[in-house]
């Protein structure tokens, strides 16, 4: 589903964030990406989302060589990927419902279908009762779950998460990881960047370890 | 077998049609949503929005008012346009018979509508009646007035100036007076004024577009984070652009409405005094306004300018806002 073939990313100021990364993630997999901050976790996710482009090497996502996706193709590419951001990236002047509905509005869904899917997604993350609330009135964990609902509401084939449990207590973190596992079980490819080794090593999924931009471990 | 294939193909085609219809409905729904959302945002800040509307309204009202003024001036001058008349003062050596034959000859020309002969005696009689100097005139030894031919060219043609040059060269005619000279000057003046209004209008229209562009730029800046989020979850440039284009449209339309109101109230203020002035000149002239169509046009123009300004700002600034 996601194939990195000797991918490097060097920034203009000369810093090499990723060097010669080669890895393949299958469709039914749930994979953790770990490493110290600055090891290249975020860069790797950003390459998949086409926020950045590789300096060298080939990156294939869902059968599509990303080098062949032009500027105009980026929105369509991103619509196939659900992303959970570390800082949530919610719209604070819109209700929870409207935040979660955003990918569906962009995708041009019908109003009734939007309502149905948003409520299903909110139900899945346990926030159905908060659909009219503004994000500022929610706790950090709830905001994160709104972000997750938004990431999955359009039923993407790939789900990326950047430190989804960053500021949460262990109990909430475990709950959120279980949510991701549930999505993985219905055929979504899940890739989670996290430095919470204690949590992810308990979960028996493949762990990719980055150190200084190089992939040093690809096993479980 | 082929029946099954056909059925499958038909179903495939109808699925695609359904998808297209859904996409179109979604697109339409987002237009509705953007339009309503942008309008709500504009109305949410009544003071700032009214200021913008007023600025645009004044910028649009100025050329509109000048155009209305020119239209009124033209309506006024049209009343004087017809009939242009040439007065041919015959030289003293021309006898009455010769004058009559000249009149008959002129009457035959295709560019002449009508020729009236006023003999010097008739002219003197008319003058003594109209002027009240009858007593003084009787003391004159001889009639000082010449014979006159009053010539009306075919209306609507430009024959008058040509006739003027031709007849002025005729030795039998002492002097030709064309009563149109001042009208021509007025028309030329009007043409100049029209050009000035156009130039002024273009400058102000450019100003409107720039003002709106700047307003939209500010609104883009204030919603930068929202734009980043929309782009992150796969919103196309067109999707991001849409609400801002509608914002521009609403500002422009509002500006057009304000401009139409300003022009209407100016005309209402001037209408009374102009009517009294016209009455003093025994004229039934009335000030013409923008009318319903003119006002709608002004609103339409405002809307188009709003879109143009928004487009300018959006294409310039949205590209620079990308997720980092």
């Amino acid at each position: 589903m996601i194939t990195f073939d000797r991918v490097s990313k060097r920034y203009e100021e000369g810093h090499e964030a990723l060097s010669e990364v080669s890895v393949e993630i299958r469709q039914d997999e749930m994979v953790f990406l770990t490493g110290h901050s600055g090891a290249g976790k975020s860069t790797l996710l950003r390459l998949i989302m086409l926020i950045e482009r590789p300096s060298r090497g080939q990156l294939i996502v869902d059968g599509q060589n990303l080098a062949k996706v032009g500027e105009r193709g980026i929105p369509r590419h991103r619509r196939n990927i659900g992303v959970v951001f570390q800082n949530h990236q919610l719209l604070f002047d819109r209700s929870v419902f409207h935040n979660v509905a955003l990918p569906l509005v962009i995708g041009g869904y019908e109003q009734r279908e939007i309502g149905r899917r948003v409520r299903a997604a909110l139900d899945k993350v346990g926030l159905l009762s908060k659909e009219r609330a503004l994000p500022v009135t929610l706790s950090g964990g709830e905001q994160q779950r709104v972000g997750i609902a938004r990431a999955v509401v359009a039923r993407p084939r790939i789900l990326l998460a950047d430190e989804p449990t960053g500021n949460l207590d262990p109990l909430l973190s475990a709950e959120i990881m279980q949510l991701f596992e549930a999505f993985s079980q219905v055929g979504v490819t899940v890739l989670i960047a996290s430095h919470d080794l204690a949590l992810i090593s308990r979960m028996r999924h493949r762990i990719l370890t980055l150190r200084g931009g190089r992939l040093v471990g690809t096993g479980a | 077998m082929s029946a099954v294939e056909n059925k499958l193909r038909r179903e495939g085609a109808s699925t695609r049609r359904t998808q297209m219809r859904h996409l179109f409905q979604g697109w339409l729904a987002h237009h509705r949503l953007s339009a309503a959302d942008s309008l709500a945002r504009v109305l949410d800040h009544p003071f700032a929005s009214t200021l913008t509307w007023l600025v645009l309204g004044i910028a649009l009202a100025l050329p509109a008012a000048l155009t209305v003024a020119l239209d009124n001036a033209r309506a006024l001058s049209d009343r004087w346009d017809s009939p242009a008349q040439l007065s041919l003062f015959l030289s003293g050596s021309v006898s009455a018979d010769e004058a009559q034959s000249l009149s008959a000859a002129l009457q035959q020309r295709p560019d002449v509508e009508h020729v009236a002969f006023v003999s010097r005696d008739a002219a003197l009689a008319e003058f003594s009646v109209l002027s009240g100097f009858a007593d003084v005139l009787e003391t004159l030894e001889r009639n000082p007035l010449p014979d006159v031919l009053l010539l009306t060219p075919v209306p609507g043609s430009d024959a008058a100036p040509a006739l003027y040059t031709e007849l002025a060269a005729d030795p039998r005619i002492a002097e030709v007076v064309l009563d149109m000279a001042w009208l021509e000057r007025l028309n030329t003046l009007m043409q100049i004024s029209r050009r000035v209004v156009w130039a002024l209008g273009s400058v102000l229209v450019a100003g409107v577009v720039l003002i709106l562009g700047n307003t939209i730029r500010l609104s883009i800046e204030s919603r930068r984070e929202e734009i980043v989020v929309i782009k992150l979850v796969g919103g196309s440039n067109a999707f991001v652009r849409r609400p801002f284009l509608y914002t521009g449209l609403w500002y422009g339309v509002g500006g057009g409405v304000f401009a139409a109101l300003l022009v209407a109230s100016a005309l209402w203020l001037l209408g009374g005094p102009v009517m009294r002035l016209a009455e003093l000149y025994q004229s039934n002239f009335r000030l013409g306004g923008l009318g319903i169509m003119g006002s709608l046009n002004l609103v339409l123009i405002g809307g188009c300018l709003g879109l143009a300004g928004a487009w300018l700002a959006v294409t310039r600034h949205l590209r620079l806002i990308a997720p980092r």
Side-chain angles (χ1 to χ4, degrees), chain A residues 59-74:
Chain A
L59 176 51
I60 294 167
V61 176
D62 198 6
Q64 173 86 36
N65 185 348
L66 293 195
K68 296 205 171 102
V69 176
E71 281 300 309
R72 291 172 156 275
I74 290 178

Side-chain angles (χ1 to χ4, degrees), chain A:
Chain A
M1 196 64 172
I2 304 175
T3 309
F4 280 76
D5 185 14
R6 307 184 60 176
V7 171
S8 299
K9 174 66 188 177
R10 178 189 287 275
Y11 286 105
E12 272 167 35
E13 57 267 37
H15 167 64
E16 187 150 278
L18 283 181
S19 345
E20 303 273 320
V21 171
S22 293
V23 68
E24 177 154 11
I25 298 169
R26 292 187 313 277
Q27 198 216 315
D28 55 353
E29 262 192 308
M30 169 153 166
V31 176
F32 287 108
L33 183 63
T34 190
H36 295 293
S37 54
K41 300 192 295 286
S42 296
T43 303
L44 196 142
L45 295 184
R46 291 151 69 86
L47 288 178
I48 298 174
M49 291 174 65
L50 273 179
I51 296 177
E52 315 257 16
R53 289 184 182 269
S55 314
R56 282 195 309 279
Q58 209 173 47
L59 176 51
I60 294 167
V61 176
D62 198 6
Q64 173 86 36
N65 185 348
L66 293 195
K68 296 205 171 102
V69 176
E71 281 300 309
R72 291 172 156 275
I74 290 178
R76 178 191 287 272
H77 170 70
R78 286 192 190 145
R79 287 203 284 273
N80 290 328
I81 303 174
V83 186
V84 179
F85 301 94
Q86 184 174 9
N87 50 2
H88 317 321
Q89 297 278 18
L90 300 178
L91 302 177
F92 284 93
D93 59 342
R94 310 281 179 94
S95 68
V96 166
F97 181 95
H98 280 113
N99 267 284
V100 176
L102 186 59
L104 301 179
V105 174
I106 290 171
Y109 286 79
E110 270 179 279
Q111 211 56 43
R112 230 169 341 140
E113 179 76 358
I114 290 176
R116 210 171 56 72
R117 286 210 193 186
V118 168
R119 290 195 183 95
L122 282 175
D123 192 29
K124 211 170 284 177
V125 298
L127 283 178
L128 194 49
S129 59
K130 304 268 182 155
E131 66 172 280
R132 285 163 196 277
L134 285 177
V136 271
T137 64
L138 302 181
S139 70
E142 286 171 329
Q143 288 187 10
Q144 190 60 283
R145 283 186 283 164
V146 173
I148 293 171
R150 184 183 65 190
V152 299
V153 73
R155 295 178 197 156
R157 292 162 64 81
I158 298 170
L159 185 57
L160 305 180
D162 192 3
E163 302 286 357
T165 60
N167 309 312
L168 305 182
D169 63 61
L171 198 68
L172 268 175
S173 302
E175 265 178 37
I176 287 196
M177 284 303 177
Q178 274 163 17
L179 258 178
F180 284 123
E181 222 162 20
F183 291 122
S184 159
Q185 274 154 15
V186 294
V188 179
T189 311
V190 181
L191 177 59
I192 301 171
S194 171
H195 60 248
D196 191 349
L197 269 176
L199 176 67
I200 63 179
S201 54
R202 258 186 282 131
M203 292 190 66
R204 299 167 183 283
H205 290 289
R206 191 145 70 109
I207 298 177
L208 309 176
T209 311
L210 279 168
R211 190 175 300 151
R214 288 182 182 277
L215 208 55
V216 293
T218 57

Side-chain angles (χ1 to χ4, degrees), chain B:
Chain B
M1 190 63 187
S2 87
V4 173
E5 264 177 21
N6 272 338
K7 185 169 178 289
L8 279 177
R9 201 169 297 153
R10 264 203 312 277
E11 276 172 3
S14 93
T15 315
R16 206 158 37 243
R17 261 204 304 279
T18 319
Q19 275 175 353
M20 287 301 284
R21 208 182 63 226
H22 278 215
L23 274 180
F24 176 69
Q25 279 169 349
W27 178 81
L28 213 61
H30 186 244
H31 268 279
R32 265 203 303 276
L33 196 75
S34 306
D37 188 57
S38 302
L39 187 60
R41 275 171 195 272
V42 168
L43 297 178
D44 259 355
H45 303 93
F47 184 71
S49 300
T50 307
L51 271 185
T52 309
W53 281 332
L54 265 179
V55 169
L56 299 179
I58 290 168
L60 285 174
L62 220 56
L66 286 173
T67 309
V68 168
L70 276 182
D71 284 347
N72 278 306
R74 196 181 51 195
L76 208 56
S77 74
D78 275 352
R79 296 164 171 238
W80 297 329
D81 235 352
S82 62
Q85 208 173 43
L86 287 106
S87 307
L88 313 180
F89 297 95
L90 305 183
S91 47
S93 59
V94 176
S95 70
D97 285 347
E98 278 174 316
Q100 289 283 8
S101 66
L102 177 62
S103 164
L106 286 173
Q107 185 72 67
Q108 297 302 312
R109 294 177 57 117
D111 50 355
V112 173
E113 167 100 346
H114 178 68
V115 183
F117 174 62
V118 182
S119 74
R120 46 195 303 186
D121 298 335
L124 184 67
E126 191 186 348
F127 184 57
S128 64
V129 169
L130 284 179
S131 67
F133 292 147
D135 296 345
V136 182
L137 290 172
E138 268 172 28
T139 64
L140 290 175
E141 282 175 11
R142 53 182 210 87
N143 184 353
L145 299 177
D147 288 326
V148 178
L149 293 178
L150 295 177
L151 185 148
T152 311
V154 176
S157 71
D158 296 328
L163 275 169
Y164 176 89
T165 21
E166 190 185 331
L167 294 176
D170 195 310
R172 289 168 293 181
I173 298 166
E175 196 181 356
V176 181
V177 173
L178 177 59
D179 297 334
M180 266 196 31
W182 72 274
L183 211 61
E184 261 178 36
R185 286 185 202 125
L186 182 70
N187 276 336
T188 316
L189 212 61
M190 295 266 290
Q191 273 170 14
I192 293 172
S193 318
R194 202 157 282 276
R195 293 267 167 96
V196 169
V197 168
W198 270 107
L200 199 70
S202 319
V203 171
L204 286 169
V205 156
V208 165
V209 170
L210 292 179
I211 292 167
L212 267 168
N214 198 45
T215 311
I216 300 294
R217 183 182 65 81
L218 291 176
S219 116
I220 289 173
E221 279 306 317
S222 74
R223 291 170 74 180
R224 174 180 277 272
E225 283 173 24
E226 180 182 344
I227 293 168
V228 168
V229 172
I230 289 173
K231 284 196 170 179
L232 276 176
V233 298
S236 61
N237 280 333
F239 184 91
V240 178
R241 209 184 289 139
R242 220 163 277 151
F244 294 106
L245 292 182
Y246 272 105
T247 307
L249 182 69
W250 295 134
Y251 277 134
V253 165
V257 169
F258 268 76
L261 288 178
L262 281 173
V263 172
S265 42
L267 284 170
W268 179 75
L269 275 175
L270 284 177
V274 166
M275 208 166 81
R276 271 201 297 285
L277 186 68
E279 273 164 9
L280 290 177
Y281 280 97
Q282 270 100 44
S283 158
N284 59 351
F285 175 76
R286 293 281 178 280
L287 263 187
L290 277 173
I292 304 249
M293 285 318 286
S295 305
L296 283 181
N297 267 338
L298 199 53
V299 173
L300 193 73
I301 290 171
C304 290
L305 293 178
L307 270 182
W311 191 272
L312 200 74
V314 159
T315 46
R316 187 98 186 68
H317 296 284
L318 277 193
R319 223 175 324 132
L320 301 178
I321 301 179
R324 293 189 190 287

